[in-house]
Amino acid sequence: MLRETNERNISVVRALLDLASADHAPFDPDPVDLAELAERAAAERSAQASARGIRLDVDTESGCETCEVAGNATLLRQLVLNLLDNALVHNDSWTGDVRLSVFRDRDAGVVMEVENTGPHVDKAVVDEPFYRARSRVSSDRSGHGLGLAIVRSIASAHHGTATASANPEGGLTVRIELPAPSLPGR
C-alpha cells in the first residue's frame, strides 16, 4: 500500500511539473506538422484502445503544409497524448469511440479536435481543474484531474486555445486552435 501511495505521489508531482514546464517553455518557432504528430500519437495509443475495445479513428490532412504550427514538438506531443489518454480512460469499454481530427480552418488556424463517447459530463464542471469523473474511492485511482489543465497550458504557450465541451450524448469534445506559422516563402 505504501508503494502504491508513493507511486501516485510521484505521478502527481510529475503531472504538476509538466504543467509548470508548459507554462514556462521557451517558444520554438520551428514548424511542427500537427497532423503527422497526431497520427504517431494515435499509433502509440492504439494498443490501449484495442485492449479496451474502443475504436480510435484518426482524420488528418497528412503531409499538408497548412497543418504545420510553430512550436515545441515535445510539448505538442504531450498535448496530444494527454487528450487521447483522457478520451480513452473516460469512455465506454467495448462500445466507445474516439475521433482525433486535425484540419486547417481559415479563421482559427490549425485545429485539432478529440471527441469521445462515454458517460455524460456535467457542463458546469468541464472547465474545472482537478476534476475527476469518479472519486478516488470508487475509481482505480489513476489520473489526477490535471490532463486538461496541462493541455490548456501547452496550447496557451503556443499562442493557441483549448476548449472543452460536453457532448449531448455523453463524452467530451476538446478543441485546440493553434495559429499557423508565418514562414518565409509560404
Side-chain angles (χ1 to χ4, degrees):
M1 186 172 173
L2 183 59
R3 181 178 297 150
E4 287 177 19
T5 300
N6 285 339
E7 288 174 8
R8 276 195 308 275
N9 290 338
I10 289 168
S11 180
V12 168
V13 169
R14 285 184 179 149
L16 289 169
L17 289 171
D18 285 345
L19 182 59
S21 69
D23 283 337
H24 297 26
F27 188 75
D28 184 355
D30 288 338
V32 176
D33 184 341
L34 197 59
E36 180 183 325
L37 193 142
E39 288 173 349
R40 286 193 314 239
E44 286 182 45
R45 294 302 189 252
S46 64
Q48 181 183 349
S50 292
R52 296 198 55 221
I54 296 172
R55 189 175 71 209
L56 175 57
D57 292 322
V58 180
D59 180 17
T60 63
E61 298 176 15
S62 182
C64 176
E65 287 183 21
T66 61
C67 289
E68 288 182 345
V69 297
N72 182 307
T74 302
L75 287 176
L76 290 170
R77 178 180 174 275
Q78 185 65 48
L79 177 145
V80 179
L81 290 174
N82 278 21
L83 290 174
L84 289 174
D85 288 344
N86 281 347
L88 291 169
V89 168
H90 303 289
N91 211 321
D92 298 320
S93 294
W94 307 112
T95 60
D97 292 311
V98 173
R99 181 173 176 82
L100 168 62
S101 304
V102 179
F103 56 92
R104 174 84 169 134
D105 182 281
R106 185 180 326 202
D107 299 322
V110 178
V111 176
M112 173 182 294
E113 289 184 342
V114 177
E115 179 180 2
N116 70 297
T117 55
H120 281 85
V121 179
D122 183 353
K123 292 177 185 179
V125 298
V126 166
D127 290 324
E128 287 185 21
F130 305 107
Y131 173 73
R132 294 173 47 86
R134 295 175 302 187
S135 72
R136 286 204 180 278
V137 175
S138 65
S139 74
D140 63 1
R141 296 181 173 258
S142 65
H144 313 289
L146 289 171
L148 286 178
I150 292 169
V151 164
R152 284 189 176 102
S153 290
I154 294 171
S156 178
H158 288 81
H159 310 295
T161 61
T163 55
S165 57
N167 299 330
E169 311 81 35
L172 196 65
T173 298
V174 180
R175 180 179 172 102
I176 309 299
E177 295 179 1
L178 299 170
S182 299
L183 299 174
R186 293 201 182 159

